[in-house]
Amino acid sequence: MDEQPLVKKTAQLPVIRRFTFGVGHVLNDLCASLWFTYLVVYFHRVLQFDNATAGYVMMAGQVFDAVSTPLVGYESDVSGGCRNYGRRKSWHLLGSFCVAFAFIMIFQPCIGCNKQTTVMAQFIYYLPFLFLSQFGWASVQISHLALLPELTTDTNERVGLNTIRYIFTVVSNMLVFIIMWVLLKFTGSGTTQEGLSTSLGPDDIPQFRLLVYIVVAVGSVFVLIFHIGTKEKTTRCVSSLEQSSNSQTRNSTMRWTDWLRCRQFYQVAGVYMCTRLMVNVSQVYVSLYVTETLGLDKDYVALIPLVIYMSGFFVSSVLVKPMNKFLGRKMTFFFGAVMVLGACDWILVGNVGKQVFGIAVLLGGGGSMALVTSLSMTADLINENTESGAFVYGAMSFTDKLSNGLVVMTVQLIHPCKTGCCAACKAFYQTVMAYIPGGAAVLSLVILATLIGTNIGQRRGRDRELNIEENAQ
């Protein structure tokens, strides 16, 4: 069993405060579902981009996000917010506006373009919207995550808030897949036995347009609920002189440069990066796997992701919190990674047909267990140093976004078919779904092993002395 993280306990938050905090990431979650599940499919099948350029679109967005997250994290820590509104909520509101506008533009055909417009010209047209969407997404994500350790220092309460947050992530994804299934089933261009490659095309542009309108409208309602119901403590910015003068006090601060000298910072970042690779890469390619490899009908591009998130919903809402409490962070993460490895091994069996539902259950359950636990590890790492919490979350997200972008771009570049899909697609997507999430799961367990015997959140030297002093009182 893990040692208990070194944070003080505080009173539990009221239920309404937990709810309003939990829905603060819904707009991001809805748009992230569009991004990871349908972006490559949309640009490749619907807008008719070639495989490589569709990969460049994903890569450009991920790079923009990777660069934005640590910068937004740093600025969120040092800025004072908009008047007395609060620094985290100010960045959250700005990011929400950017996300809503940019995603509407991304899932629209290029304005002013025609059949003679080159793919590269269209790619350049979408670049500003890709940048705006990822800047906004990073602003919402980092400010929302950084607010969590400021609301409570109780470890179980933090797991609970992360669990509620992830439950709404799951519900958001399920909503997207249900809407998409309804749109494709009853208003789409028709279903054939040949699957996605012939069924999904330019005729489905209206379905994607309507989908993004619904997503933005629903997400905006929850943004409003978050800002009305969540109260942020106003925090005065701390100058570097004040940080230096207070460095010997019990509430010693951690500047961003201090984190770069912390070993656990890199270990937790590695675990989080691998977790995101497990979850995101499988989400990006599951639609192509079920249609091109398994030859299932196009409505399965909504059904299988839906099952993944239903499984994740059950695990995150029922199992994750008690497992973290009784088994600890490391063992809970271990079980999640092993479930993902089981799914990847099942994929290698071959043409599993309808057994893909079982694979989806393992991917969803294992991914949610690992993701919620890795986020809780990050909150434990921050401990009481919430003054630089946004930078920590930004750095974690940097590794996540950059690695995902590089992996997706590499997959698209080595795709055996330059345009459309050929006979080699079947084995190709099976390989991608099995070895990339599986490899990430193995690597995460290797990094996790380096944390055995350590207490996440306890730092060498100064922090260790403070903890000894605190325990002696």
Side-chain angles (χ1 to χ4, degrees), residues 68-69 71-82 85-99 135-144 226-227 232 390:
S68 296
T69 43
L71 296 178
V72 167
Y74 175 78
E75 289 298 325
S76 177
D77 285 331
V78 301
S79 66
C82 183
Y85 194 60
R87 54 180 180 168
R88 308 303 188 196
K89 289 176 67 177
S90 295
W91 279 94
H92 187 283
L93 187 61
L94 172 64
S96 298
F97 280 117
C98 294
V99 168
F135 168 78
W137 206 94
S139 299
V140 173
Q141 181 199 34
I142 300 306
S143 58
H144 193 248
F226 168 78
H227 281 272
E232 177 184 356

Side-chain angles (χ1 to χ4, degrees), residues 128-434:
F129 303 119
L130 294 172
F131 171 77
L132 187 64
S133 69
Q134 298 309 304
F135 168 78
W137 206 94
S139 299
V140 173
Q141 181 199 34
I142 300 306
S143 58
H144 193 248
L145 284 170
L147 187 59
L148 187 149
E150 294 180 4
L151 294 177
T152 178
T153 56
D154 182 82
T155 54
N156 290 325
E157 188 74 0
R158 285 179 173 181
V159 174
L161 288 176
N162 269 318
T163 299
I164 293 170
R165 185 178 185 271
Y166 189 74
I167 287 172
F168 280 105
T169 296
V170 173
V171 172
S172 299
N173 280 270
M174 289 168 60
L175 179 62
V176 171
F177 301 139
I178 290 171
I179 296 171
M180 191 61 179
W181 179 79
V182 171
L183 292 175
L184 291 176
K185 189 74 173 179
F186 301 105
T187 66
S189 57
T191 301
T192 71
Q193 293 301 314
E194 296 181 19
L196 184 66
S197 60
T198 57
S199 296
L200 201 60
D203 290 339
D204 291 297
I205 286 176
Q207 282 69 45
F208 279 94
R209 181 188 293 121
L210 183 56
L211 176 64
V212 76
Y213 287 159
I214 296 172
V215 160
V216 170
V218 173
S220 298
V221 171
F222 285 105
V223 169
L224 183 63
I225 293 173
F226 168 78
H227 281 272
I228 292 174
T230 302
K231 308 300 180 185
E232 177 184 356
K233 297 176 183 178
T234 55
T235 306
R236 182 173 62 87
C237 296
V238 181
S239 67
S240 24
L241 180 61
E242 290 173 308
Q243 289 181 349
S244 177
S245 65
N246 293 331
S247 61
Q248 301 303 320
T249 65
R250 296 184 70 253
N251 292 321
S252 91
T253 59
M254 286 283 288
R255 295 168 294 181
W256 69 272
T257 52
D258 296 326
W259 288 112
L260 298 180
R261 295 192 291 270
C262 178
R263 179 183 177 184
Q264 285 187 0
F265 176 78
Y266 298 99
Q267 292 170 303
V268 174
V271 171
Y272 181 74
M273 178 192 72
C274 292
T275 305
R276 281 296 187 179
L277 281 172
M278 284 189 270
V279 174
N280 292 346
V281 172
S282 60
Q283 188 175 354
V284 169
Y285 289 103
V286 69
S287 297
L288 293 167
Y289 169 71
V290 300
T291 52
E292 301 297 351
T293 300
L294 302 182
L296 301 176
D297 292 337
K298 80 171 184 179
D299 54 345
Y300 280 81
V301 305
L303 287 176
I304 298 304
L306 179 61
V307 173
I308 290 175
Y309 278 93
M310 287 177 65
S311 171
F313 177 82
F314 172 78
V315 170
S316 59
S317 60
V318 177
L319 300 179
V320 170
K321 187 173 181 179
M323 287 182 68
N324 269 272
K325 183 176 181 180
F326 294 108
L327 298 179
R329 305 277 193 261
K330 302 181 186 74
M331 283 303 299
T332 304
F333 185 91
F334 173 81
F335 283 119
V338 168
M339 287 176 69
V340 172
L341 281 171
C344 295
D345 187 57
W346 199 345
I347 289 171
L348 288 174
V349 169
N351 190 8
V352 296
K354 297 298 177 65
Q355 295 178 40
V356 69
F357 286 101
I359 294 172
V361 169
L362 289 178
L363 283 175
S368 66
M369 188 178 296
L371 184 55
V372 172
T373 305
S374 65
L375 285 170
S376 298
M377 287 180 182
T378 307
D380 294 339
L381 174 70
I382 293 171
N383 205 326
E384 295 184 349
N385 294 115
T386 58
E387 70 282 345
S388 54
F391 171 78
V392 175
Y393 281 114
M396 301 293 158
S397 189
F398 172 83
T399 64
D400 150 33
K401 300 304 187 301
L402 192 59
S403 60
N404 276 277
L406 287 171
V407 167
V408 171
M409 186 187 72
T410 302
V411 169
Q412 293 301 117
L413 287 175
I414 64 174
H415 197 287
C417 315
K418 297 303 179 183
T419 59
C421 202
C422 56
C425 282
K426 182 173 182 178
F428 180 74
Y429 289 123
Q430 178 186 10
T431 301
V432 168
M433 283 290 295

